[in-house]
Amino acid sequence: MDFFSRKNRILLKELVKTDFKLRYQGSLMGHLWSILKPMMLFTVMYMVFIHFLRFGSDVPHFEVALLLGMVMWTFFQETTSMGLVSIVSRGDLLRKLSFPNEIIVIAVSINAMINFLINLLVVFVFAIINGVNISQYAYLAPLLLVELYLFSLGVAFILATLFVRFRDIGPIWEVVMQAGMYATPIIYPISMVMEKSPLAAKVLMLNPLAQIIQDMRYLLIDKANVMVSHLLVWKYAFIPYVIPFIIFIFGYLFFKHNAKKFAEII
């Protein structure tokens, strides 16, 4: 079946529109919550970790770096968490229509990307207000967005496949996400870890999300944000860049291998 056929493109478009409309249906603020939610979380993090605990005091514009990191983490969290339940929640559709099942997961990721791009505009406004000088290499940022998207989608494919058979994956993933946020240099700068343990900092930067967030901060906010190439020798520095593509390919193939049995299992 041709994934790019007109019928499948229309289905993908309708799924994206439906999910987007239903996201905050019935709420007074509507889709403004897509901006307000990360901003409210950022306010709490800013007051606790920057204002009181003074995290990132050695990094220029770290408050902007914090907001950027939270917005990127929220995209990953939203894509994977919603992707996890996407197939099960669309079980009725799978039993009625014949179409590539990956369209359901991709629709979820596109919805998350729409919210992410809206939030990214808020980050840029916040950066301008704070006097951030955008790097001349900012044009490389879209490459990092592609890396982030493919990594998130690959993980979503894996989780969606596993959740069809093992519903315990849901609460397990919630714990993983909570631990993962603190294991990724978002609310604290990687320089803080380097002071305590250079080895721990190097291990953290092997995490693709840490690499993507730090590289994005370097390109868009300030060169004081440490990149992978600043910490790791060249023979290890490529690892976090390769992992997202491996995860995406594996996730997609794993999903396709099991997709034929989804309808009967659900």
Side-chain angles (χ1 to χ4, degrees), residues 75-91:
F75 168 74
F76 176 75
Q77 183 179 43
E78 187 175 328
T79 300
T80 55
S81 298
M82 295 183 66
L84 181 146
V85 300
S86 60
I87 296 298
V88 172
S89 63
R90 294 287 186 180

Side-chain angles (χ1 to χ4, degrees), residues 24-213:
Y24 299 110
Q25 188 178 42
S27 64
L28 293 175
M29 302 296 290
H31 286 90
L32 278 175
W33 281 114
S34 61
I35 297 175
L36 292 175
K37 281 174 64 178
M39 288 301 295
M40 290 169 67
L41 184 57
F42 162 74
T43 301
V44 174
M45 294 292 186
Y46 174 82
M47 293 301 296
V48 174
F49 294 103
I50 296 182
H51 185 70
F52 291 112
L53 297 181
R54 308 299 296 174
F55 283 10
S57 57
D58 60 328
V59 180
H61 306 295
F62 186 69
E63 62 276 11
V64 183
L66 172 62
L67 180 58
L68 177 60
M70 301 234 17
V71 164
M72 297 180 75
W73 177 264
T74 299
F75 168 74
F76 176 75
Q77 183 179 43
E78 187 175 328
T79 300
T80 55
S81 298
M82 295 183 66
L84 181 146
V85 300
S86 60
I87 296 298
V88 172
S89 63
R90 294 287 186 180
D92 55 339
L93 190 63
L94 293 178
R95 289 188 288 268
K96 293 177 183 177
L97 298 176
S98 176
F99 62 94
N101 296 342
E102 60 267 29
I103 287 179
I104 295 176
V105 184
I106 293 173
V108 166
S109 70
I110 292 176
N111 255 301
M113 179 57 73
I114 292 172
N115 280 333
F116 173 64
L117 293 176
I118 293 172
N119 288 320
L120 204 56
L121 288 176
V122 175
V123 175
F124 277 116
V125 172
F126 192 62
I128 293 171
I129 293 174
N130 279 268
V132 173
N133 293 317
I134 305 297
S135 166
Q136 60 180 329
Y137 301 108
Y139 66 89
L140 296 173
L143 297 178
L144 294 173
L145 295 184
V146 170
E147 185 184 358
L148 175 63
Y149 178 77
L150 292 180
F151 181 57
S152 304
L153 183 57
V155 174
F157 277 136
I158 295 171
L159 293 174
T161 306
L162 293 175
F163 191 70
V164 170
R165 292 182 179 272
F166 311 106
R167 303 302 165 87
D168 291 339
I169 294 296
I172 291 174
W173 186 246
E174 289 180 10
V175 175
V176 170
M177 289 303 297
Q178 289 177 1
M181 181 172 179
Y182 291 103
T184 306
I186 298 174
I187 60 178
Y188 56 87
I190 193 66
S191 57
M192 181 180 293
V193 183
M194 290 169 59
E195 291 177 5
K196 302 292 184 181
S197 173
L199 178 60
K202 292 177 181 179
V203 172
L204 283 180
M205 288 300 283
L206 290 174
N207 171 7
L209 285 173
Q211 169 262 307
I212 295 169
I213 290 173

Side-chain angles (χ1 to χ4, degrees), residues 195-247:
E195 291 177 5
K196 302 292 184 181
S197 173
L199 178 60
K202 292 177 181 179
V203 172
L204 283 180
M205 288 300 283
L206 290 174
N207 171 7
L209 285 173
Q211 169 262 307
I212 295 169
I213 290 173
Q214 283 300 117
D215 284 5
M216 190 70 81
R217 286 171 167 176
Y218 179 88
L219 292 177
L220 299 182
I221 300 174
D222 196 275
K223 292 184 178 180
N225 294 284
V226 181
M227 298 176 67
V228 172
S229 58
H230 298 160
L231 278 177
L232 303 177
V233 294
W234 66 269
K235 62 180 179 180
Y236 297 118
F238 75 94
I239 293 176
Y241 294 97
V242 172
I243 290 176
F245 298 96
I246 295 176
I247 292 294

